[in-house]
């Protein structure tokens, strides 16, 4: 068996730069090539080199990536039992003197190729928790499961597009006639002189969608804090759902289970437990809501880590009631802040929809639909709001934040301002807050703020305050991304080198150790990016043609 230690490689820090991140600096590249700005000449020069075929084969693993990671160093193959060095190879002897590794970015707007691979893995992670496979028992397909959607509350009226009756074949290409945005007989005018009505029937790509009717009336501070605290709200909600189900089991006479702990002791535990999977979706108005999967499992007394069917007496409709109860009751108030000494209330909105998941091709929603839906949002971020940037810092914040600018600019500005919890005089009349009587009085009336909570707003200002993962799951729900990637590595190495066997027919145990370091990101030139991506596109077309041919023969 061949085992590898995966090198620790930093992900690309820049977000979505062009696929030709850096000019060619390798000594084997002619000087006239580096000076030329004509992509065609660069491509011809690369294709005319004698090692062109070797270069194409070398960059194949990352050929479709827009900004691959470049690694340099040595690769050693050692015998695991004795530590004897069997082989060693340096990247200096390879084309371009480096190894190209896909960036692995999950965002579709940054790298479509790597995000597609991440989306496929996310689909397997989500669907495996519903139908089993890859180490998960197939009996989970018979466990009750629901698909709830948790939405944020409304912070103000925004431009919307509502279609009451769809006649289109695909919602993605919907061209149905929408309803008027905010049609009113009473033409109310806000304190800022803006008429709070809109009679337009917005198109799907209208930039006004998601923006408030009045930017000055919108509570951007509350919006930013809700994004920041959404993860904590989800944690409390999952706890409340668990407690509801356990109380329900006790009320229906389902006894607790005597389970064996890790230290060999017996303790009574509830007979049911819940497994979660969750994806976050950023809405046009710049606020997240969650799509989740809640599965009901039982408890094995002899193996607490096993996934077993739940006891009879609790079904999917009980899960729906538990989620409705939790979303209606769970809420909390944040720590005091200088701009709001009483804190902000964090709770869910009124639009909570929970559907029962079925494995068959009928029902409210099937396992395949749910898995595809969650996997799709795992590769999204803030692009739908019109904003996309890397992590912001004091040198770049002015490019994206403006207290009197657009909707997203004001929201980013609110995130940046709220992160500074130092006291500011309301009237800005003093220079020394410790001696100002107004500040002393107001500071004494307010409790001490928690800097660590609100300081995270500055770190996640580029995400409009949301700092959570876009796809998470509980430990027992399904397989992990690491397991899928490890299986992919083993499969590709078996295809490349084939199984190695000794004279006795047993597989030798070797260890591939990578002594590699990060030396850059991106292709050397625009021509390299074009040639590599073209090669990857041709390979995909050939694979698709072969797949269709096999399906035709099978039919």
């Amino acid at each position: 068996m061949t085992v590898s230690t995966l090198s620790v490689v930093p992900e690309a820090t820049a977000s979505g730069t062009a696929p030709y991140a850096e000019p060619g600096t390798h000594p084997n590249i002619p000087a006239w090539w580096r000076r030329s700005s004509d992509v065609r000449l660069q491509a011809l020069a690369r294709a005319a080199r004698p090692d062109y075929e070797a270069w194409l084969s070398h960059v194949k693993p990352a050929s479709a990536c827009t900004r691959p990671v470049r690694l340099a160093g040595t690769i050693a193959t050692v015998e695991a039992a004795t530590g004897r060095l069997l082989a060693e190879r340096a990247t200096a002897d390879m084309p371009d003197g480096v190894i190209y590794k896909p960036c692995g970015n999950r965002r579709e707007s940054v790298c479509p190729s790597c995000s597609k691979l991440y989306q496929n893995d996310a689909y397997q992670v989500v669907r495996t928790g519903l139908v089993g496979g890859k180490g998960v028992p197939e009996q989970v397909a018979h466990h009750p499961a629901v698909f709830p959607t948790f939405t944020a509350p409304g912070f103000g009226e925004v431009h919307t597009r509502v279609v009451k009756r769809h006649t289109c074949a695909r919602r993605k290409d919907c061209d149905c006639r929408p309803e008027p945005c905010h049609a009113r007989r009473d033409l109310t005018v806000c304190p800022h002189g803006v008429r709070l009505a809109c009679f337009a029937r917005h198109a799907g790509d209208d930039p006004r969608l998601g923006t408030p009717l009045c930017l000055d009336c919108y509570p951007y501070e509350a919006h930013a804090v809700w994004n920041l605290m959404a993860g904590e709200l989800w944690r409390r909600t999952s706890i409340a759902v668990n407690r509801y189900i356990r109380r329900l089991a006790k009320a229906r006479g389902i006894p607790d289970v005597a389970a064996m702990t890790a230290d060999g002791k017996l303790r009574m535990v509830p007979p049911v437990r819940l497994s979660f999977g969750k994806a976050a979706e950023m809405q046009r108005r710049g606020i997240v809501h969650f799509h989740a999967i809640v599965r009901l499992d039982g408890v094995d007394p002899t193996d607490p880590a096993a996934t077993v069917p739940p006891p009879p007496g609790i079904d999917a409709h009980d899960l729906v009631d538990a989620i409705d109860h939790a979303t209606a009751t769970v809420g909390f108030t944040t720590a005091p802040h200088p701009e709001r000494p009483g804190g902000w209330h964090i709770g869910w909105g009124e639009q909570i929809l929970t559907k029962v998941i079925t494995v068959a091709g009928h029902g409210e929603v099937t396992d395949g639909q749910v898995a595809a839906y969650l996997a799709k949002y795992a590769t999204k971020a803030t692009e739908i709001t019109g904003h996309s940037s890397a992590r912001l810092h004091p040198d770049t914040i002015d490019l994206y934040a403006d207290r009197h600018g657009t909707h997203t600019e004001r929201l980013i500005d609110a995130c940046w301002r709220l992160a500074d919890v130092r006291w500011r005089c309301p009237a800005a009349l003093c220079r020394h807050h410790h001696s100002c009587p107004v500040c002393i009085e107001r500071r004494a009336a307010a409790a001490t703020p928690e800097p660590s909570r609100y300081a995270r707003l500055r770190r996640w200002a580029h995400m409009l305050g949301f700092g959570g993962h876009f796809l998470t799951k509980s430990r027992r729900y399904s397989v992990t991304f690491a397991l899928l990637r490890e299986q992919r590595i083993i499969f590709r190495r078996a295809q490349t080198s084939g199984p190695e066997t000794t004279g006795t027919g047993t597989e030798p145990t070797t260890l591939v150790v990578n002594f590699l370091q990060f030396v850059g990101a991106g292709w050397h030139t625009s021509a390299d990016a074009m040639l590599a991506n073209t090669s990857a596109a041709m390979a995909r077309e050939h694979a698709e043609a072969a797949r269709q041919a096999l399906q035709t023969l099978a039919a």
Side-chain angles (χ1 to χ4, degrees):
M1 180 178 63
T2 301
V3 185
S4 174
T5 57
L6 300 181
S7 58
V8 180
V9 181
E11 292 292 339
T13 55
S15 62
T17 56
Y20 41 90
E22 299 178 6
T25 57
H26 192 264
N28 291 336
I29 298 178
W32 68 269
W33 180 8
R34 295 198 300 265
R35 291 193 299 266
S36 176
S37 59
D38 194 334
V39 178
R40 294 173 298 178
L41 292 179
Q42 294 177 359
L44 288 173
R46 169 65 81 174
R49 292 176 56 170
D51 62 344
Y52 176 64
E53 295 294 335
W55 179 82
L56 277 182
S57 178
H58 179 63
V59 303
K60 181 179 178 181
S63 57
C65 182
T66 59
R67 200 170 188 269
V69 176
R70 300 198 302 272
L71 306 173
T74 59
I75 302 173
T77 304
V78 300
E79 192 173 11
T82 63
R84 182 169 58 93
L85 181 64
L86 301 179
E88 186 176 15
R89 188 180 181 188
T91 59
D93 302 329
M94 301 177 182
D96 291 349
V98 294
I99 290 178
Y100 290 91
K101 175 186 176 296
C103 66
N105 200 301
R106 69 165 185 86
R107 295 191 181 187
E108 184 180 4
S109 60
V110 176
C111 183
S113 174
C114 292
S115 68
K116 186 62 177 178
L117 183 61
Y118 184 91
Q119 181 179 354
N120 293 339
D121 285 350
Y123 177 85
Q124 295 298 329
V125 169
V126 175
R127 192 168 187 269
T128 300
L130 295 174
V131 299
K134 302 183 184 301
V136 179
E138 295 183 357
Q139 63 188 7
V140 298
H142 303 287
H143 294 198
V146 295
F147 178 56
T149 298
F150 302 88
T151 60
F155 294 99
E157 294 182 339
V158 298
H159 291 276
T160 59
R161 183 179 188 272
V162 177
V163 179
K164 292 186 177 180
R165 184 177 179 181
H166 283 276
T167 58
C168 55
R170 294 179 58 196
R171 294 292 176 89
K172 185 177 180 180
D173 304 325
C174 176
D175 57 352
C176 302
R177 180 180 173 85
E179 299 296 317
C181 178
H182 284 86
R184 293 191 177 99
R185 295 180 182 272
D186 181 16
L187 300 181
T188 305
V189 178
C190 76
H192 304 95
V194 178
R195 188 177 65 174
L196 300 180
C198 179
F199 299 92
R201 301 177 186 268
H202 297 294
D205 57 351
D206 194 327
R208 291 179 294 175
L209 288 176
T211 60
L213 297 181
C214 178
L215 294 173
D216 295 325
C217 291
Y218 196 81
Y220 286 99
E221 292 79 8
H223 184 147
V225 172
W226 197 97
N227 275 347
L228 176 69
M229 300 295 179
E232 175 64 17
L233 181 61
W234 162 258
R235 186 186 71 85
R236 298 186 182 212
T237 303
S238 63
I239 293 174
V241 173
N242 260 305
R243 290 175 177 174
Y244 183 96
I245 292 297
R246 291 173 180 177
R247 289 196 304 266
L248 186 63
K250 186 175 182 180
R252 294 183 179 178
I254 303 176
D256 290 346
V257 178
M260 185 72 68
T261 61
D263 55 0
K265 297 181 180 180
L266 288 176
R267 67 184 182 95
M268 303 304 294
V269 299
V272 293
R273 63 187 176 197
L274 302 180
S275 297
F276 297 90
K278 170 180 65 69
E281 177 193 358
M282 185 66 71
Q283 294 182 301
R284 287 180 184 268
R285 54 177 174 151
I287 203 163
V288 295
H289 67 190
F290 296 135
H291 305 284
I293 296 173
V294 184
R295 190 187 70 205
L296 184 63
D297 299 332
V299 176
D300 188 349
T302 60
D303 186 6
T307 303
V308 298
I314 299 180
D315 56 16
H317 298 287
D318 295 323
L319 286 178
V320 175
D321 295 337
I323 293 171
D324 292 341
H325 176 267
T327 54
T329 57
V330 172
F332 64 96
T333 302
T334 64
H337 190 278
E339 291 197 8
R340 194 178 181 93
W344 288 274
H345 177 74
I346 305 298
W348 298 111
E350 298 179 356
Q351 298 179 353
I352 305 297
L353 179 62
T354 305
K355 298 182 179 181
V356 177
I357 301 175
T358 60
V359 178
H362 54 82
E364 292 183 274
V365 61
T366 65
D367 59 287
Q369 293 173 336
V370 170
Y373 198 73
L374 268 64
K376 176 182 68 174
Y377 287 114
T379 62
K380 307 295 182 182
T382 60
E383 297 84 5
I384 193 171
T385 66
H387 167 78
S388 180
S389 69
R391 181 160 290 157
L392 302 178
H393 50 82
D395 295 334
T396 60
I397 183 61
D398 292 336
L399 299 175
Y400 300 97
D402 186 357
R403 196 165 189 173
H404 305 287
T406 62
H407 178 59
T408 54
E409 290 174 346
R410 297 186 185 212
L411 185 55
I412 295 173
D413 176 77
C415 293
W416 198 263
R417 286 187 294 103
L418 292 177
D420 184 6
V421 295
R422 294 175 298 177
W423 185 265
R424 293 177 293 276
C425 183
L429 300 177
C430 63
R431 296 182 180 180
H432 304 286
H433 300 306
H434 63 276
S435 60
C436 173
V438 177
C439 290
I440 292 174
E441 180 182 358
R442 293 290 297 272
R443 188 184 305 164
T448 303
E450 295 183 7
S452 60
R453 283 284 185 176
Y454 295 109
R456 294 177 62 244
L457 278 171
R458 184 162 293 187
R459 174 180 174 85
W460 299 106
H462 67 294
M463 294 299 298
L464 310 182
F466 178 68
H469 293 283
F470 273 76
L471 182 65
T472 59
K473 70 176 188 66
S474 59
R475 181 174 299 178
R476 297 183 180 91
Y477 173 76
S478 179
V479 296
T480 63
F481 282 93
L483 178 62
L484 297 178
R485 290 163 183 162
E486 183 179 356
Q487 291 177 347
R488 187 182 302 115
I489 290 173
I490 295 174
F491 175 78
R492 287 179 176 174
R493 285 180 177 168
Q495 276 191 324
T496 303
S497 58
E500 299 179 2
T501 58
T502 61
T504 59
T506 60
E507 294 186 357
T509 303
T510 59
L511 190 65
V512 180
V513 185
N514 300 323
F515 300 96
L516 302 173
Q517 62 179 352
F518 175 81
V519 295
W523 299 100
H524 281 294
T525 64
S526 306
D528 285 359
M530 181 187 67
L531 293 173
N533 294 335
T534 302
S535 176
M538 294 176 62
R540 288 194 299 268
E541 293 177 359
H542 292 166
E544 182 63 25
R547 189 179 299 110
Q548 293 179 358
L550 289 176
Q551 292 177 354
T552 303
L553 292 177

